[in-house]
mmCIF file of all heavy atoms in Angstrom:
data_model
loop_
_atom_site.group_PDB
_atom_site.id
_atom_site.type_symbol
_atom_site.label_atom_id
_atom_site.label_comp_id
_atom_site.label_asym_id
_atom_site.label_seq_id
_atom_site.Cartn_x
_atom_site.Cartn_y
_atom_site.Cartn_z
ATOM 1 N N LEU A 131 21.148 -3.262 6.625
ATOM 2 C CA LEU A 131 21.868 -4.304 7.339
ATOM 3 C C LEU A 131 22.611 -5.142 6.308
ATOM 4 O O LEU A 131 21.989 -5.900 5.559
ATOM 5 C CB LEU A 131 20.929 -5.187 8.163
ATOM 6 C CG LEU A 131 21.618 -6.258 9.007
ATOM 7 C CD1 LEU A 131 22.442 -5.615 10.122
ATOM 8 C CD2 LEU A 131 20.603 -7.231 9.591
ATOM 9 N N GLN A 132 23.917 -4.977 6.259
ATOM 10 C CA GLN A 132 24.754 -5.785 5.390
ATOM 11 C C GLN A 132 25.115 -7.061 6.128
ATOM 12 O O GLN A 132 25.708 -7.011 7.205
ATOM 13 C CB GLN A 132 26.022 -5.029 4.995
ATOM 14 C CG GLN A 132 26.973 -5.816 4.108
ATOM 15 C CD GLN A 132 26.394 -6.103 2.745
ATOM 16 O OE1 GLN A 132 25.843 -5.213 2.107
ATOM 17 N NE2 GLN A 132 26.493 -7.341 2.296
ATOM 18 N N MET A 133 24.758 -8.197 5.557
ATOM 19 C CA MET A 133 24.965 -9.489 6.188
ATOM 20 C C MET A 133 25.927 -10.300 5.336
ATOM 21 O O MET A 133 25.609 -10.649 4.196
ATOM 22 C CB MET A 133 23.640 -10.234 6.360
ATOM 23 C CG MET A 133 22.589 -9.447 7.129
ATOM 24 S SD MET A 133 21.087 -10.414 7.457
ATOM 25 C CE MET A 133 20.497 -10.625 5.776
ATOM 26 N N ASN A 134 27.091 -10.585 5.881
ATOM 27 C CA ASN A 134 28.109 -11.368 5.193
ATOM 28 C C ASN A 134 28.347 -12.678 5.938
ATOM 29 O O ASN A 134 27.993 -12.822 7.101
ATOM 30 C CB ASN A 134 29.415 -10.587 5.101
ATOM 31 C CG ASN A 134 29.293 -9.320 4.301
ATOM 32 O OD1 ASN A 134 28.519 -9.233 3.347
ATOM 33 N ND2 ASN A 134 30.080 -8.309 4.664
ATOM 34 N N SER A 135 28.988 -13.616 5.258
ATOM 35 C CA SER A 135 29.324 -14.913 5.847
ATOM 36 C C SER A 135 28.122 -15.536 6.532
ATOM 37 O O SER A 135 28.199 -16.007 7.671
ATOM 38 C CB SER A 135 30.496 -14.758 6.823
ATOM 39 O OG SER A 135 31.635 -14.228 6.187
ATOM 40 N N LEU A 136 27.005 -15.556 5.838
ATOM 41 C CA LEU A 136 25.764 -16.037 6.430
ATOM 42 C C LEU A 136 25.835 -17.519 6.775
ATOM 43 O O LEU A 136 26.468 -18.305 6.068
ATOM 44 C CB LEU A 136 24.599 -15.765 5.486
ATOM 45 C CG LEU A 136 24.129 -14.312 5.479
ATOM 46 C CD1 LEU A 136 23.304 -14.022 4.235
ATOM 47 C CD2 LEU A 136 23.328 -14.014 6.737
ATOM 48 N N LYS A 137 25.174 -17.853 7.869
ATOM 49 C CA LYS A 137 25.120 -19.215 8.379
ATOM 50 C C LYS A 137 23.678 -19.689 8.416
ATOM 51 O O LYS A 137 22.762 -18.872 8.519
ATOM 52 C CB LYS A 137 25.711 -19.279 9.793
ATOM 53 C CG LYS A 137 27.122 -18.741 9.927
ATOM 54 C CD LYS A 137 27.552 -18.724 11.385
ATOM 55 C CE LYS A 137 28.958 -18.187 11.540
ATOM 56 N NZ LYS A 137 29.374 -18.156 12.965
ATOM 57 N N PRO A 138 23.450 -20.997 8.360
ATOM 58 C CA PRO A 138 22.066 -21.486 8.463
ATOM 59 C C PRO A 138 21.346 -20.993 9.705
ATOM 60 O O PRO A 138 20.129 -20.754 9.645
ATOM 61 C CB PRO A 138 22.240 -23.011 8.485
ATOM 62 C CG PRO A 138 23.480 -23.244 7.696
ATOM 63 C CD PRO A 138 24.392 -22.088 8.057
ATOM 64 N N GLU A 139 22.046 -20.811 10.811
ATOM 65 C CA GLU A 139 21.418 -20.327 12.026
ATOM 66 C C GLU A 139 20.999 -18.865 11.962
ATOM 67 O O GLU A 139 20.340 -18.368 12.878
ATOM 68 C CB GLU A 139 22.326 -20.560 13.247
ATOM 69 C CG GLU A 139 23.745 -20.067 13.059
ATOM 70 C CD GLU A 139 24.704 -21.172 12.636
ATOM 71 O OE1 GLU A 139 24.352 -21.947 11.726
ATOM 72 O OE2 GLU A 139 25.802 -21.257 13.225
ATOM 73 N N ASP A 140 21.368 -18.163 10.895
ATOM 74 C CA ASP A 140 20.874 -16.811 10.669
ATOM 75 C C ASP A 140 19.473 -16.796 10.071
ATOM 76 O O ASP A 140 18.875 -15.725 9.943
ATOM 77 C CB ASP A 140 21.814 -16.035 9.747
ATOM 78 C CG ASP A 140 23.179 -15.793 10.360
ATOM 79 O OD1 ASP A 140 23.247 -15.475 11.569
ATOM 80 O OD2 ASP A 140 24.180 -15.917 9.633
ATOM 81 N N THR A 141 18.964 -17.946 9.688
ATOM 82 C CA THR A 141 17.636 -18.034 9.093
ATOM 83 C C THR A 141 16.580 -17.539 10.076
ATOM 84 O O THR A 141 16.487 -18.023 11.201
ATOM 85 C CB THR A 141 17.330 -19.475 8.677
ATOM 86 O OG1 THR A 141 18.237 -19.870 7.641
ATOM 87 C CG2 THR A 141 15.908 -19.603 8.161
ATOM 88 N N ALA A 142 15.796 -16.556 9.653
ATOM 89 C CA ALA A 142 14.785 -15.948 10.511
ATOM 90 C C ALA A 142 14.025 -14.909 9.705
ATOM 91 O O ALA A 142 14.410 -14.560 8.590
ATOM 92 C CB ALA A 142 15.428 -15.288 11.733
ATOM 93 N N VAL A 143 12.947 -14.410 10.300
ATOM 94 C CA VAL A 143 12.303 -13.210 9.801
ATOM 95 C C VAL A 143 13.005 -12.023 10.443
ATOM 96 O O VAL A 143 13.128 -11.956 11.668
ATOM 97 C CB VAL A 143 10.804 -13.180 10.121
ATOM 98 C CG1 VAL A 143 10.179 -11.869 9.648
ATOM 99 C CG2 VAL A 143 10.105 -14.363 9.466
ATOM 100 N N TYR A 144 13.464 -11.103 9.624
ATOM 101 C CA TYR A 144 14.192 -9.936 10.100
ATOM 102 C C TYR A 144 13.279 -8.719 10.092
ATOM 103 O O TYR A 144 12.597 -8.448 9.104
ATOM 104 C CB TYR A 144 15.424 -9.680 9.234
ATOM 105 C CG TYR A 144 16.560 -10.617 9.541
ATOM 106 C CD1 TYR A 144 16.483 -11.962 9.183
ATOM 107 C CD2 TYR A 144 17.702 -10.168 10.205
ATOM 108 C CE1 TYR A 144 17.513 -12.839 9.481
ATOM 109 C CE2 TYR A 144 18.737 -11.040 10.501
ATOM 110 C CZ TYR A 144 18.639 -12.375 10.138
ATOM 111 O OH TYR A 144 19.669 -13.235 10.437
ATOM 112 N N TYR A 145 13.286 -7.984 11.197
ATOM 113 C CA TYR A 145 12.419 -6.828 11.384
ATOM 114 C C TYR A 145 13.239 -5.561 11.583
ATOM 115 O O TYR A 145 14.212 -5.559 12.338
ATOM 116 C CB TYR A 145 11.520 -7.009 12.609
ATOM 117 C CG TYR A 145 10.553 -8.160 12.514
ATOM 118 C CD1 TYR A 145 10.906 -9.426 12.975
ATOM 119 C CD2 TYR A 145 9.286 -7.974 11.981
ATOM 120 C CE1 TYR A 145 10.017 -10.482 12.897
ATOM 121 C CE2 TYR A 145 8.392 -9.025 11.906
ATOM 122 C CZ TYR A 145 8.764 -10.282 12.367
ATOM 123 O OH TYR A 145 7.880 -11.324 12.293
ATOM 124 N N CYS A 146 12.823 -4.515 10.936
ATOM 125 C CA CYS A 146 13.331 -3.174 11.171
ATOM 126 C C CYS A 146 12.475 -2.515 12.241
ATOM 127 O O CYS A 146 11.256 -2.681 12.258
ATOM 128 C CB CYS A 146 13.279 -2.381 9.863
ATOM 129 S SG CYS A 146 13.696 -0.643 9.988
ATOM 130 N N ALA A 147 13.098 -1.769 13.146
ATOM 131 C CA ALA A 147 12.368 -1.120 14.224
ATOM 132 C C ALA A 147 12.914 0.280 14.473
ATOM 133 O O ALA A 147 14.102 0.541 14.263
ATOM 134 C CB ALA A 147 12.467 -1.948 15.511
ATOM 135 N N ALA A 148 12.043 1.158 14.931
ATOM 136 C CA ALA A 148 12.400 2.542 15.230
ATOM 137 C C ALA A 148 12.075 2.870 16.673
ATOM 138 O O ALA A 148 11.057 2.425 17.208
ATOM 139 C CB ALA A 148 11.661 3.499 14.295
ATOM 140 N N ARG A 149 12.930 3.666 17.289
ATOM 141 C CA ARG A 149 12.769 4.053 18.680
ATOM 142 C C ARG A 149 12.854 5.562 18.798
ATOM 143 O O ARG A 149 13.835 6.164 18.351
ATOM 144 C CB ARG A 149 13.846 3.386 19.545
ATOM 145 C CG ARG A 149 13.733 3.650 21.029
ATOM 146 C CD ARG A 149 14.658 2.722 21.814
ATOM 147 N NE ARG A 149 14.525 2.916 23.246
ATOM 148 C CZ ARG A 149 15.439 3.485 24.019
ATOM 149 N NH1 ARG A 149 16.584 3.908 23.492
ATOM 150 N NH2 ARG A 149 15.219 3.618 25.321
ATOM 151 N N ILE A 150 11.825 6.153 19.383
ATOM 152 C CA ILE A 150 11.783 7.592 19.572
ATOM 153 C C ILE A 150 12.407 7.897 20.932
ATOM 154 O O ILE A 150 11.825 7.603 21.976
ATOM 155 C CB ILE A 150 10.349 8.136 19.503
ATOM 156 C CG1 ILE A 150 9.659 7.658 18.224
ATOM 157 C CG2 ILE A 150 10.366 9.651 19.587
ATOM 158 C CD1 ILE A 150 10.376 8.046 16.954
ATOM 159 N N ILE A 151 13.599 8.485 20.903
ATOM 160 C CA ILE A 151 14.345 8.769 22.125
ATOM 161 C C ILE A 151 15.236 9.970 21.868
ATOM 162 O O ILE A 151 15.621 10.234 20.717
ATOM 163 C CB ILE A 151 15.160 7.529 22.571
ATOM 164 C CG1 ILE A 151 15.658 7.671 24.008
ATOM 165 C CG2 ILE A 151 16.317 7.286 21.599
ATOM 166 C CD1 ILE A 151 14.560 7.596 25.039
ATOM 167 N N LEU A 152 15.565 10.700 22.908
ATOM 168 C CA LEU A 152 16.360 11.915 22.754
ATOM 169 C C LEU A 152 17.839 11.715 23.068
ATOM 170 O O LEU A 152 18.635 12.616 22.808
ATOM 171 C CB LEU A 152 15.797 13.030 23.638
ATOM 172 C CG LEU A 152 14.384 13.503 23.291
ATOM 173 C CD1 LEU A 152 13.951 14.596 24.251
ATOM 174 C CD2 LEU A 152 14.318 13.998 21.850
ATOM 175 N N ASP A 153 18.199 10.568 23.616
ATOM 176 C CA ASP A 153 19.605 10.319 23.900
ATOM 177 C C ASP A 153 20.198 9.411 22.828
ATOM 178 O O ASP A 153 19.597 9.193 21.769
ATOM 179 C CB ASP A 153 19.789 9.752 25.312
ATOM 180 C CG ASP A 153 19.083 8.426 25.531
ATOM 181 O OD1 ASP A 153 18.787 7.716 24.540
ATOM 182 O OD2 ASP A 153 18.831 8.079 26.697
ATOM 183 N N TYR A 154 21.376 8.849 23.101
ATOM 184 C CA TYR A 154 22.073 8.039 22.103
ATOM 185 C C TYR A 154 22.279 6.611 22.570
ATOM 186 O O TYR A 154 23.164 5.906 22.099
ATOM 187 C CB TYR A 154 23.400 8.717 21.747
ATOM 188 C CG TYR A 154 23.177 10.098 21.193
ATOM 189 C CD1 TYR A 154 23.252 11.216 22.013
ATOM 190 C CD2 TYR A 154 22.846 10.283 19.853
ATOM 191 C CE1 TYR A 154 23.005 12.485 21.516
ATOM 192 C CE2 TYR A 154 22.600 11.539 19.347
ATOM 193 C CZ TYR A 154 22.678 12.636 20.178
ATOM 194 O OH TYR A 154 22.432 13.893 19.680
ATOM 195 N N TYR A 155 21.429 6.183 23.494
ATOM 196 C CA TYR A 155 21.470 4.830 24.005
ATOM 197 C C TYR A 155 20.909 3.868 22.974
ATOM 198 O O TYR A 155 19.867 4.123 22.372
ATOM 199 C CB TYR A 155 20.669 4.755 25.307
ATOM 200 C CG TYR A 155 20.439 3.375 25.833
ATOM 201 C CD1 TYR A 155 21.474 2.648 26.404
ATOM 202 C CD2 TYR A 155 19.178 2.798 25.774
ATOM 203 C CE1 TYR A 155 21.264 1.382 26.905
ATOM 204 C CE2 TYR A 155 18.959 1.529 26.266
ATOM 205 C CZ TYR A 155 20.003 0.823 26.831
ATOM 206 O OH TYR A 155 19.785 -0.435 27.325
ATOM 207 N N ILE A 156 21.577 2.738 22.783
ATOM 208 C CA ILE A 156 21.109 1.698 21.864
ATOM 209 C C ILE A 156 20.427 0.617 22.682
ATOM 210 O O ILE A 156 21.067 -0.096 23.452
ATOM 211 C CB ILE A 156 22.268 1.115 21.039
ATOM 212 C CG1 ILE A 156 22.894 2.202 20.163
ATOM 213 C CG2 ILE A 156 21.774 -0.058 20.198
ATOM 214 C CD1 ILE A 156 24.118 1.756 19.410
ATOM 215 N N SER A 157 19.128 0.501 22.511
ATOM 216 C CA SER A 157 18.356 -0.490 23.231
ATOM 217 C C SER A 157 18.397 -1.825 22.512
ATOM 218 O O SER A 157 18.302 -1.891 21.283
ATOM 219 C CB SER A 157 16.909 -0.032 23.388
ATOM 220 O OG SER A 157 16.125 -1.052 23.967
ATOM 221 N N LYS A 158 18.518 -2.909 23.291
ATOM 222 C CA LYS A 158 18.443 -4.266 22.763
ATOM 223 C C LYS A 158 17.116 -4.933 23.102
ATOM 224 O O LYS A 158 16.959 -6.131 22.855
ATOM 225 C CB LYS A 158 19.600 -5.104 23.313
ATOM 226 C CG LYS A 158 20.982 -4.567 22.948
ATOM 227 C CD LYS A 158 22.082 -5.445 23.519
ATOM 228 C CE LYS A 158 23.456 -4.901 23.148
ATOM 229 N NZ LYS A 158 24.547 -5.754 23.700
ATOM 230 N N THR A 159 16.198 -4.166 23.635
ATOM 231 C CA THR A 159 14.926 -4.685 24.126
ATOM 232 C C THR A 159 13.808 -4.375 23.141
ATOM 233 O O THR A 159 13.524 -3.205 22.888
ATOM 234 C CB THR A 159 14.594 -4.077 25.493
ATOM 235 O OG1 THR A 159 15.671 -4.337 26.400
ATOM 236 C CG2 THR A 159 13.312 -4.667 26.049
ATOM 237 N N PRO A 160 13.145 -5.391 22.584
ATOM 238 C CA PRO A 160 12.096 -5.123 21.595
ATOM 239 C C PRO A 160 10.995 -4.195 22.094
ATOM 240 O O PRO A 160 10.509 -3.350 21.336
ATOM 241 C CB PRO A 160 11.541 -6.525 21.285
ATOM 242 C CG PRO A 160 12.698 -7.439 21.538
ATOM 243 C CD PRO A 160 13.411 -6.832 22.719
ATOM 244 N N SER A 161 10.598 -4.321 23.367
ATOM 245 C CA SER A 161 9.494 -3.526 23.889
ATOM 246 C C SER A 161 9.820 -2.040 23.968
ATOM 247 O O SER A 161 8.907 -1.227 24.115
ATOM 248 C CB SER A 161 9.077 -4.032 25.272
ATOM 249 O OG SER A 161 10.121 -3.876 26.215
ATOM 250 N N GLU A 162 11.071 -1.681 23.871
ATOM 251 C CA GLU A 162 11.457 -0.279 23.921
ATOM 252 C C GLU A 162 11.442 0.396 22.559
ATOM 253 O O GLU A 162 11.694 1.596 22.467
ATOM 254 C CB GLU A 162 12.831 -0.136 24.569
ATOM 255 C CG GLU A 162 12.835 -0.528 26.044
ATOM 256 C CD GLU A 162 14.174 -0.325 26.718
ATOM 257 O OE1 GLU A 162 15.169 -0.023 26.028
ATOM 258 O OE2 GLU A 162 14.233 -0.467 27.958
ATOM 259 N N TYR A 163 11.145 -0.349 21.513
ATOM 260 C CA TYR A 163 11.014 0.217 20.175
ATOM 261 C C TYR A 163 9.543 0.502 19.882
ATOM 262 O O TYR A 163 8.666 -0.296 20.217
ATOM 263 C CB TYR A 163 11.615 -0.714 19.126
ATOM 264 C CG TYR A 163 13.118 -0.681 19.141
ATOM 265 C CD1 TYR A 163 13.839 -1.365 20.113
ATOM 266 C CD2 TYR A 163 13.823 0.057 18.197
ATOM 267 C CE1 TYR A 163 15.224 -1.302 20.151
ATOM 268 C CE2 TYR A 163 15.207 0.112 18.223
ATOM 269 C CZ TYR A 163 15.905 -0.572 19.201
ATOM 270 O OH TYR A 163 17.281 -0.518 19.227
ATOM 271 N N ASN A 164 9.288 1.626 19.257
ATOM 272 C CA ASN A 164 7.937 2.132 19.094
ATOM 273 C C ASN A 164 7.262 1.688 17.801
ATOM 274 O O ASN A 164 6.033 1.568 17.751
ATOM 275 C CB ASN A 164 7.945 3.658 19.149
ATOM 276 C CG ASN A 164 8.618 4.199 20.395
ATOM 277 O OD1 ASN A 164 9.743 4.692 20.339
ATOM 278 N ND2 ASN A 164 7.930 4.099 21.525
ATOM 279 N N TYR A 165 8.036 1.471 16.757
ATOM 280 C CA TYR A 165 7.482 1.154 15.446
ATOM 281 C C TYR A 165 8.248 0.001 14.825
ATOM 282 O O TYR A 165 9.463 -0.131 15.011
ATOM 283 C CB TYR A 165 7.541 2.379 14.523
ATOM 284 C CG TYR A 165 6.797 3.567 15.067
ATOM 285 C CD1 TYR A 165 7.472 4.569 15.749
ATOM 286 C CD2 TYR A 165 5.421 3.686 14.904
ATOM 287 C CE1 TYR A 165 6.800 5.658 16.265
ATOM 288 C CE2 TYR A 165 4.739 4.779 15.420
ATOM 289 C CZ TYR A 165 5.434 5.760 16.096
ATOM 290 O OH TYR A 165 4.760 6.846 16.606
ATOM 291 N N TRP A 166 7.528 -0.811 14.051
ATOM 292 C CA TRP A 166 8.096 -2.014 13.452
ATOM 293 C C TRP A 166 7.686 -2.159 12.000
ATOM 294 O O TRP A 166 6.576 -1.785 11.619
ATOM 295 C CB TRP A 166 7.631 -3.257 14.220
ATOM 296 C CG TRP A 166 8.157 -3.313 15.614
ATOM 297 C CD1 TRP A 166 7.634 -2.708 16.714
ATOM 298 C CD2 TRP A 166 9.317 -4.026 16.048
ATOM 299 N NE1 TRP A 166 8.400 -2.987 17.813
ATOM 300 C CE2 TRP A 166 9.430 -3.791 17.440
ATOM 301 C CE3 TRP A 166 10.255 -4.830 15.408
ATOM 302 C CZ2 TRP A 166 10.469 -4.345 18.190
ATOM 303 C CZ3 TRP A 166 11.279 -5.382 16.156
ATOM 304 C CH2 TRP A 166 11.376 -5.133 17.533
ATOM 305 N N GLY A 167 8.590 -2.706 11.199
ATOM 306 C CA GLY A 167 8.250 -3.092 9.849
ATOM 307 C C GLY A 167 7.527 -4.422 9.831
ATOM 308 O O GLY A 167 7.284 -5.053 10.868
ATOM 309 N N GLN A 168 7.178 -4.867 8.632
ATOM 310 C CA GLN A 168 6.400 -6.096 8.476
ATOM 311 C C GLN A 168 7.255 -7.355 8.553
ATOM 312 O O GLN A 168 6.717 -8.451 8.708
ATOM 313 C CB GLN A 168 5.654 -6.063 7.137
ATOM 314 C CG GLN A 168 6.495 -6.399 5.906
ATOM 315 C CD GLN A 168 7.445 -5.297 5.478
ATOM 316 O OE1 GLN A 168 7.432 -4.181 6.002
ATOM 317 N NE2 GLN A 168 8.298 -5.609 4.501
ATOM 318 N N GLY A 169 8.549 -7.211 8.442
ATOM 319 C CA GLY A 169 9.457 -8.338 8.463
ATOM 320 C C GLY A 169 9.760 -8.857 7.071
ATOM 321 O O GLY A 169 8.922 -8.813 6.177
ATOM 322 N N THR A 170 10.972 -9.358 6.895
ATOM 323 C CA THR A 170 11.377 -9.965 5.632
ATOM 324 C C THR A 170 12.124 -11.258 5.927
ATOM 325 O O THR A 170 12.961 -11.314 6.826
ATOM 326 C CB THR A 170 12.233 -8.987 4.793
ATOM 327 O OG1 THR A 170 12.531 -9.567 3.522
ATOM 328 C CG2 THR A 170 13.530 -8.620 5.498
ATOM 329 N N GLN A 171 11.801 -12.302 5.187
ATOM 330 C CA GLN A 171 12.355 -13.623 5.440
ATOM 331 C C GLN A 171 13.763 -13.737 4.871
ATOM 332 O O GLN A 171 14.012 -13.414 3.704
ATOM 333 C CB GLN A 171 11.467 -14.706 4.822
ATOM 334 C CG GLN A 171 12.005 -16.125 4.981
ATOM 335 C CD GLN A 171 11.940 -16.623 6.410
ATOM 336 O OE1 GLN A 171 10.927 -16.441 7.084
ATOM 337 N NE2 GLN A 171 13.021 -17.249 6.887
ATOM 338 N N VAL A 172 14.676 -14.215 5.700
ATOM 339 C CA VAL A 172 16.028 -14.563 5.271
ATOM 340 C C VAL A 172 16.219 -16.049 5.524
ATOM 341 O O VAL A 172 16.063 -16.513 6.656
ATOM 342 C CB VAL A 172 17.098 -13.754 6.023
ATOM 343 C CG1 VAL A 172 18.497 -14.278 5.699
ATOM 344 C CG2 VAL A 172 16.980 -12.279 5.684
ATOM 345 N N THR A 173 16.540 -16.781 4.478
ATOM 346 C CA THR A 173 16.760 -18.215 4.586
ATOM 347 C C THR A 173 18.155 -18.543 4.072
ATOM 348 O O THR A 173 18.493 -18.202 2.935
ATOM 349 C CB THR A 173 15.715 -19.007 3.795
ATOM 350 O OG1 THR A 173 14.405 -18.673 4.263
ATOM 351 C CG2 THR A 173 15.942 -20.506 3.955
ATOM 352 N N VAL A 174 18.950 -19.195 4.901
ATOM 353 C CA VAL A 174 20.318 -19.555 4.553
ATOM 354 C C VAL A 174 20.395 -21.072 4.480
ATOM 355 O O VAL A 174 20.169 -21.760 5.480
ATOM 356 C CB VAL A 174 21.326 -19.018 5.571
ATOM 357 C CG1 VAL A 174 22.752 -19.337 5.122
ATOM 358 C CG2 VAL A 174 21.147 -17.516 5.757
#
């Protein structure tokens, strides 16, 4: 994730997630992702 022109409101813990699916739909729903990373803090 390349993040440019960062703003203070971008401050958060950022998580990587994986979804096991056979189509090419991009889900925006956290519960539809099967695996998660531990998170990394971004502070602006």
Side-chain angles (χ1 to χ4, degrees):
L131 183 67
Q132 179 66 47
M133 304 186 294
N134 298 328
S135 301
L136 283 162
K137 305 174 180 179
E139 50 263 46
D140 295 319
T141 295
V143 177
Y144 283 71
Y145 297 91
C146 174
R149 183 168 183 251
I150 308 302
I151 194 70
L152 296 179
D153 61 21
Y154 300 96
Y155 171 73
I156 297 175
S157 174
K158 300 180 180 180
T159 304
S161 64
E162 294 183 352
Y163 285 78
N164 306 105
Y165 301 97
W166 294 84
Q168 79 286 353
T170 184
Q171 177 70 45
V172 172
T173 302
V174 184

